[in-house]
Amino acid sequence: MKKIYCGLMLAATLTLGTGCSAGLLDIENPNEVTNETYWNKPEDATAGVNACYSFLYKEGTWMRWLSFRYDLTSDEGWSSSPWIELGDWTRFLYNNYNFYEGNTVHWEHFYVGIFRCNQVLSKVPGIDMDETTKNRVLAQASFLRALWYFQVNLLWEKGTMPLEPMDASYVPQDASEQEIWDQIEKDLIFAYTYLPETWDAANLGRATKGAAKALLGKAYMQQHKYDLAKEQLSWLIEREGSLYDLIANRQDNFTDLDENNKEGIFEIQFDDQNKGGTGNDASMAFGFQRTQFYAPSGIGWGDGKARRWLVDEFLKEKREDGTNDLRLYHSILYRGFSADFPDQSKKYYKFDNADWNEGWGMDAEDCYIRKYNTAYYRDTEDYFARNNYRIMRYADILMNYAECLVETGTQPKDAAVYVDKVRNRAGLVDLVDSQWKDCLNSKEAFMKRLQTERTLELCFEGWRWADLKRWGLLDSVQGIDELKARDKDFNNFVIGKHKRLPIPRDEVSNSTVGGEVHLTQNPMY
Amino acid sequence: MIKKILVLFLAVFSVTVYAQNVTITGTVTDVNQEPLTGVNVVVKGSTTGAITDIDGNFSVSGKKGSTLVFSYIGMLTQEVVYKGTPMRIILKDDSKALEEVVVIGYQTVKKSDLTGAVAVVDTKEMKKSAAGTLVSQMQGLATGVNVRSSGRAGEDASIEIRGVGSLSNNSPLWVIDGMITEPGVDFNPADAESIQILKDASAAAIYGSRAANGVIIVTTKKGSKGPMKVNISLKETLEWSPKYDLMNAAEYIKYNDIAYNEAIKNGIATVTSTQKHSEYDTNWQDEVLKTALVQDYNVSLSGGGDSGNYFVSAGYYNNSGVSYGNNFERYSFRVNTQGKKGWFSFGENLAYSLTNTDPNQTNTYNDFLRMMPTIPVYDENNPGGYGYGDASKYNTFGVNPIAREDLEYRKMRQNRINGSLWLEFKPFDFLSYKFNSGIDLYFYENSWFRGEGNWTQNQEHRDPEGQKARDNTYNMLVEHTLNFNKDFGKHHIDAVVGTTYQHHEWEGLWASRLNFPLMGNGEYLHVLNAGQSNQQNSNSISENAMISYLGRANYVYDDKYYLTATFRRDGTSRLAKENRWGNFPSVSAAWRISKEGFFDVPWINDLKIRGNWGRLGNSSIGDWDYIGTINQSIVTVFGGAIVPGATQVKLVNTGLVWETKETVNVGFDASFLDQRLTVSAEYYNSKTSDVLAETPIAISTGNQGGSPWKNAASLRNQGFEITLGWKDQISDFKYNALLNLTTMNNEVLDLGRGDSERNFIDSGQARTEPGRSLAEFYLKRTDGLFRTQADIDNYVTSNGTPIIIDGKRPQLGDVRYLDLNDDGEITDDDRNFCGSPWAKMQLSFVFNAEWKNFDFSMMWNGQFGNKIYNVSRWQGRQFADNSNYIRFEKGEEPYQINPNSNTPRIIYGDMRNSYDSDRFLENGSYFRMKNISIGYNFKQDWLKNLGVEKLRLFATGSNLLTFTGYSGLDPDFKGVNSVWNSGTDGFAYPNTRSVMFGLDLTF
């Protein structure tokens, strides 16, 4: 009897204890494949690079907060948000360097974008696949990595520069602004070498050769390498059979009615099919969220506003037909706009008479940003606007090109041709025939006028901050005085400090090993 | 329904009075001639029986020569033949039963033989609680156990044993009838027969890697030999919530205008006039809070014979909730049976429960403060028809709780089946083999819907949205154990060896849609199929397994010397192959000094000292956290169409190993003065190493989804626990008292961040740093107000630089913050440590008394020496942003009105006087009368004729009296994040006050 039971016990113990026990503990993850088993098929390469684009739809990019950095921090806009700290980060009051929405979100999101590109750039070369397709995948990832590092340089003027996927023990290391520009150039040269000039309809939105060249041109310009920049930009402008031109109806650069057109060089493909959150899942939203933050009370939250001087600047010059510049009507909502634009609708979203509403503020500075609004198809805002954001468009490149020309010795009147294209579309006469014709007398005068021409065409399109930096306005007392006159937030600006953001404090701390800081804080912070 | 059952049973029992021959009478006493009440007297071979009354008398019908069986709990059953004369029966103690037996995991031992720290919770005391869950009823009933409960209907209390030893999970392991599970809110606490808490490593080591946070072993009720017993218990409780003392509209307007005018005077840019206040005067607390009715009904049937027994119970619990939109109900059902034939026996315990919860969608206690009295509850001009903030009249982003509960629908339903089945073969009286298997299945449903309509200012538009979730959990356990138990003269040896296999599987499904149609009656169709766009769904699976080998041997010599050794080896699927297995040994010893020949202290009846060491483990991390994965549900858009993407999102640390905790425990148990006084004391010191923590990594790695787990930190916990018991009797007044005292000291030894500048973790108002307790308060320091110009002029750094607050120099009446880093600016760098959220001492006191048919009891508990950060006070004294205000007591009015008060200048739109600071840190000590209860047992002879064995009526008051200096609603609150912000009272739902009336009937 005893033997029987001992046997039973032993059998039970052995069953669990040896034979299959190892197997019982080997449970495969049914949710996701592992790193080791991925990255071996051509589809993996395509999916990998698609995931790089997916990161354009995140709060730290142009979808939401980046406009606070480039548009509101510059002299074009300001923040009246009741969230004081949010507003402080548009007026050079940087106290908590870890403030997420003002600083860390960008650092984090740019580097997540870079991590995704680095995965593609390090894993895809090992995949056995068609070389052309492979190179196109690598070129797209290179373009996007350069796009992210470009933002790192615009915001912090330095960073750390991982070029392959790093593990959890990674220690950030100082990479200078110049080292980062060098890498951006390298990536963009590779990108334009292998990217196609166009994609088929199903792939609209992927980076093209023109996008890589435009971005490379801009990278050179930020370094004042105007010769090299001119060469890249001329490919878009001067080349026989160029794909690019201005569209007739300028306003459609900001709607979903004519997307990926000949004026669009690189666009974020916003869409309202998904209405989920911003997590990394299949229901992720692809909507443009900025206008929810900028539209006035009742439609949005009025967190970001336009500076009044822009309105006045627009009103200084009439169109050839004697009316006011419609670009003003389409860019800024201000009290009394209907008197300046009697032929234009007063309706704005659900407000039949948007001129004016007491709750929107009675101060002259209470001007709302209208560019990229979606009032043309709905009554209220939300987080899912479907109009593409044009990171780069041809009008911008034309004026960049004009700048490169004068900077490399071309006569202002010859460079003005490219500015006039933009002016003419807006119904304005050529510079030479305008009240500004004196600007053609010198390079300096031309540059000063170009600075205004650019903001009138491009305000709230994310380039003003880069422009101010490039033009040196942030480096001199004279420059800051000029900006103060337009935007009182510059009263807080300290030269040598505020042209760049502080590195998020936690990241500086994360780089500390053995008491040595490997990612040093920016000067004066 | 229950009434009907009662009537039916009463009817059945009254029939038992039938044809009688003679009336047999007699008296039953114990060896001390004390009459025994409630002794079961049965005429053998018949269904005739009786129960002795309060004087030990019985009368039963039978014949001369009938054999009468006398049985009583804790006494040896006797069979006596009736010889015609009144019987005098003396029942003797059953020495085995007298000895309290304690379940210690795979074995039971006599309580007096324990070598480790095991606390036994008195389930009779728990019955006096008005709380609805097992955990909340345990509060105060054991040392070393910290229970924090909440006033939310349907929310369980939290429980920590001996402090916080881990950063991943601090919940103890629960073993209910041999099955590893959690009681949660679905377990019917009335089913619990006994609860023991294994606190130290030697006691818990048999559960190895699961036991680092202690083990709680629950045994549910079983039937006992004898005719069927029916127990009916009915409890009705009225519960209400404490309230803030808030301002009415007139008071609010007065102070709000002062704050606005101050802002205008100071040129705060956004403020040009005071608010255009409304005429409304809403008392939001009155709108939302109500007296709740809690119904708790239980019926159980139990009985048994020589070959088996049964216990069947059904319960219904319903809490209508003190806060609008919050309620909870539970239906529970249990069948426990056991059977035995020769050397084979079996048993099963099966419980089914159904719970329905309607949770609050908003924290109403936060809303009370954030909604001003000038806001109407309803406002037809707003989408949805409810009142909320308005930029010109009442500018707040507070939530209208009535609106949110009405507009947002959420119901949670859970079906749960839980139980175990065991078979035992006992071929020899010293050896047995047991097979034990258990299941724990949860079927959870969550339905959510939101129609159009707003509950706060500036809500972005959202189409009507519906979501449904279905989560299924399958837990399984299989165990084989072999038990040995034999005496060799004065030597006693018992041992257990075994293996266990546990498997956990969870699968979640979630779906949602937008654009649900509105029907004619203003209601929406909620079913997902009615949603017209944006179909979404998600599905994920979690699965893990553990295999263990376990063994324990106990050696006792002459009830004098005790030695125990335990070993467990665990393998988990949650760690990589090479790190999968962990070994968890322990040893312990005890010495009963009082048994030694040389020990001659007459007033000490028993004295035993004991000590032990052991190692436990923990791997409470995700199922696959040791290996990186590719997320293939990434999407992006090209050409207007959605296309898939794939990438690694989260980084991992691949070399994760077991977190291990080593504990040393010493203690003694003693009894004095003829067992009237008992004392138990423990000291423990435990160190947890390789603590799994989500340690921050470089942001520029591009990691998302949280920091990866790392074996980073180490922690130490130590403390004393003392239990003092006293029982005595003065004529027919019997009473006993119990005092539990616990001290706990927690220290972070290392956070595993090397010498990084960030060798700390900030969490709200707290910071965790090596050398200190977890999450000590870390705040700006203040030193009163600036009352004179000289105060302001002298507010400079050591080198004379004027100190700036919020970019400005202070004014009269502003708060004087200390510039601790002496840099001339008040920033987060001026915080320092200013107190611990952990109580230096916890104390509970239980008193029970019986006099004639009355019984009385009360339970007090409290904690001392901790600090609480009072967020509601911060909010109620916040004038920088609009909210309602906590009423000023006399002398407390703001500086503008009363320059002598400690309340600073109030100003809208300027945060300088509202920073998180030590101004809102309060002493959290309290001592509370948790329960006070009075009961009446109906006299036996009244009930006898009704066939009723016992009928008790009782009333209990809970939380009616609290001594505390804390100004918030409740110093005994459950933190939102129990470890990291345990001392921050962030609008925690206060424990309700209640009065309960109950009836307990057994027949």
Side-chain angles (χ1 to χ4, degrees), chain A residues 5 17 25-27 31-33 35 38 47 50 54 119 204 273 275 280-283 301 384 507 509-510 514-515, chain B residues 343 458 462 534 536 541 549 573 580 624 628-631 633 635 639-640 644 646-648 699-700 704 755 758:
Chain A
Y5 292 112
L25 296 181
D26 288 334
I27 297 174
N31 303 296
E32 295 184 344
V33 298
N35 283 349
Y38 199 71
N50 289 351
S54 178
Q119 291 181 53
L204 281 178
Q273 293 178 63
K275 289 187 174 171
N280 297 304
D281 55 61
S283 61
W301 298 332
F384 314 105
E507 192 71 337
S509 179
N510 287 330
Chain B
W343 41 260
N458 276 5
R462 187 81 180 152
N534 297 84
Q536 293 179 30
I541 291 174
Y549 304 96
S573 66
R580 202 166 259 177
W624 295 283
T629 57
I630 299 287
N631 179 337
S633 61
V635 282
T647 192
Q648 181 178 8
I699 305 166
S700 45
Q704 280 201 304
D755 49 6
R758 271 177 91 190

Side-chain angles (χ1 to χ4, degrees), chain A residues 54-61 63-65 100 105 108-109 116 270 274-289 383-384, chain B residues 634-635 649 704:
Chain A
S54 178
F55 222 76
L56 291 165
Y57 307 95
K58 290 287 183 280
E59 297 92 324
T61 76
M63 183 188 198
R64 188 189 287 181
W65 298 124
Y100 190 73
V105 69
E108 177 186 326
H109 285 184
R116 291 190 180 183
F270 283 124
N274 272 5
K275 289 187 174 171
T278 53
N280 297 304
D281 55 61
S283 61
M284 183 185 98
F286 309 115
F288 192 21
Q289 303 183 343
Y383 280 164
F384 314 105
Chain B
I634 303 281
V635 282
V649 171
Q704 280 201 304

Side-chain angles (χ1 to χ4, degrees), chain B residues 414-530:
Chain B
Q414 180 160 285
N415 281 284
R416 183 175 178 192
I417 298 165
N418 165 290
S420 56
L421 173 72
W422 55 266
L423 309 172
E424 190 175 64
F425 299 88
K426 196 167 184 183
F428 308 102
D429 61 357
F430 60 87
L431 187 70
S432 62
Y433 159 76
K434 189 172 182 179
F435 167 79
N436 180 39
S437 64
I439 50 159
D440 189 10
L441 317 178
Y442 296 82
F443 306 94
Y444 172 79
E445 305 168 14
N446 191 332
S447 302
W448 179 83
F449 187 84
R450 184 195 157 181
E452 296 224 35
N454 292 349
W455 50 73
T456 183
Q457 192 184 182
N458 276 5
Q459 266 176 295
E460 77 265 21
H461 170 79
R462 187 81 180 152
D463 297 324
E465 181 175 10
Q467 297 178 0
K468 303 261 176 181
R470 296 283 185 275
D471 295 357
N472 293 343
T473 308
Y474 297 84
N475 290 319
M476 190 188 88
L477 168 78
V478 180
E479 296 180 325
H480 303 272
T481 48
L482 202 56
N483 255 288
F484 176 87
N485 191 328
K486 200 162 170 61
D487 292 326
F488 305 91
K490 286 185 168 180
H491 306 270
H492 167 85
I493 292 173
D494 63 72
V496 61
V497 290
T499 69
T500 83
Y501 168 67
Q502 292 168 59
H503 184 257
H504 162 88
E505 194 181 337
W506 172 92
E507 177 158 10
L509 273 174
W510 173 90
S512 86
R513 291 200 195 184
L514 295 182
N515 288 313
F516 289 76
L518 193 60
M519 296 181 295
N521 59 1
E523 300 275 314
Y524 289 91
L525 278 176
H526 283 204
V527 65
L528 281 193
N529 273 4

Side-chain angles (χ1 to χ4, degrees), chain A residues 54 67-68 115 117 140 192 205 232-233 236 267 280 292 431:
Chain A
S54 178
S67 174
F68 280 62
F115 176 41
C117 296
Q140 291 175 73
Y192 82 64
Q232 294 303 324
L233 300 183
L236 288 95
E267 307 184 4
N280 297 304
Q292 171 68 47
L431 276 173

Side-chain angles (χ1 to χ4, degrees), chain A residues 1-2 5-6 8-9 12-13 16-18 20-22 24-36 38-39 44 46-51 53-55 57-58 80 82 84 95-96 104 107-109 111-112 115-116 119 140 160 162 166-172 201-206 260 269-276 280-284 286 292 297-298 300-301 358-359 380-384 488 504-510 512-515 517, chain B residues 269-270 276 343 391 397 425 427-428 430-431 433 457-463 465 478-482 497-501 503-504 510 514-515 534 536-537 539-547 549 571-575 577 580-581 623-624 626-653 696-704 708 753 755-760 806 825 827-829 909 911:
Chain A
M1 185 86 116
K2 187 179 176 183
Y5 292 112
C6 287
L8 188 68
M9 178 67 203
T13 310
L16 281 173
T18 55
C20 59
S21 74
L24 287 172
L25 296 181
D26 288 334
I27 297 174
E28 296 238 323
N29 185 339
N31 303 296
E32 295 184 344
V33 298
T34 62
N35 283 349
E36 285 82 18
Y38 199 71
W39 304 112
D44 298 350
T46 315
V49 79
N50 289 351
Y53 286 97
S54 178
F55 222 76
Y57 307 95
K58 290 287 183 280
S80 58
I84 302 299
N95 290 317
N96 169 15
T104 309
W107 182 269
E108 177 186 326
H109 285 184
Y111 279 103
V112 177
F115 176 41
R116 291 190 180 183
Q119 291 181 53
Q140 291 175 73
T160 178
M166 295 297 171
D167 66 19
S169 64
Y170 175 63
V171 177
N203 287 290
L204 281 178
R206 293 187 188 275
N260 304 306
Q269 308 292 307
F270 283 124
D271 190 287
D272 61 3
Q273 293 178 63
N274 272 5
K275 289 187 174 171
N280 297 304
D281 55 61
S283 61
M284 183 185 98
F286 309 115
Q292 171 68 47
S297 174
W301 298 332
E358 197 180 301
T380 185
E381 265 300 327
D382 61 15
Y383 280 164
F384 314 105
K488 63 179 180 182
R505 182 178 170 158
D506 282 350
E507 192 71 337
V508 174
S509 179
N510 287 330
T512 311
V513 178
V517 180
Chain B
T270 51
K276 299 183 192 104
W343 41 260
F397 290 87
F425 299 88
F428 308 102
F430 60 87
L431 187 70
Y433 159 76
Q457 192 184 182
N458 276 5
Q459 266 176 295
E460 77 265 21
H461 170 79
R462 187 81 180 152
D463 297 324
E465 181 175 10
V478 180
E479 296 180 325
H480 303 272
T481 48
L482 202 56
V497 290
T499 69
T500 83
Y501 168 67
H503 184 257
H504 162 88
W510 173 90
L514 295 182
N515 288 313
N534 297 84
Q536 293 179 30
N537 56 61
N539 172 217
S540 63
I541 291 174
S542 116
E543 188 181 358
N544 62 65
M546 188 157 93
I547 294 173
Y549 304 96
T572 178
S573 66
R574 282 178 167 170
L575 298 174
K577 245 178 192 159
R580 202 166 259 177
W581 291 91
D623 292 335
W624 295 283
Y626 61 92
I627 185 162
T629 57
I630 299 287
N631 179 337
Q632 288 183 277
S633 61
I634 303 281
V635 282
T636 194
V637 177
F638 293 118
I642 298 174
V643 297
T647 192
Q648 181 178 8
V649 171
K650 183 168 180 173
L651 292 176
V652 298
N653 282 304
I697 60 170
I699 305 166
S700 45
T701 55
N703 176 59
Q704 280 201 304
R753 298 176 180 200
D755 49 6
S756 155
E757 192 196 324
R758 271 177 91 190
N759 197 10
F760 58 81
D806 203 20
E825 224 175 319
T827 64
D828 276 354
D829 294 335
M911 279 299 288

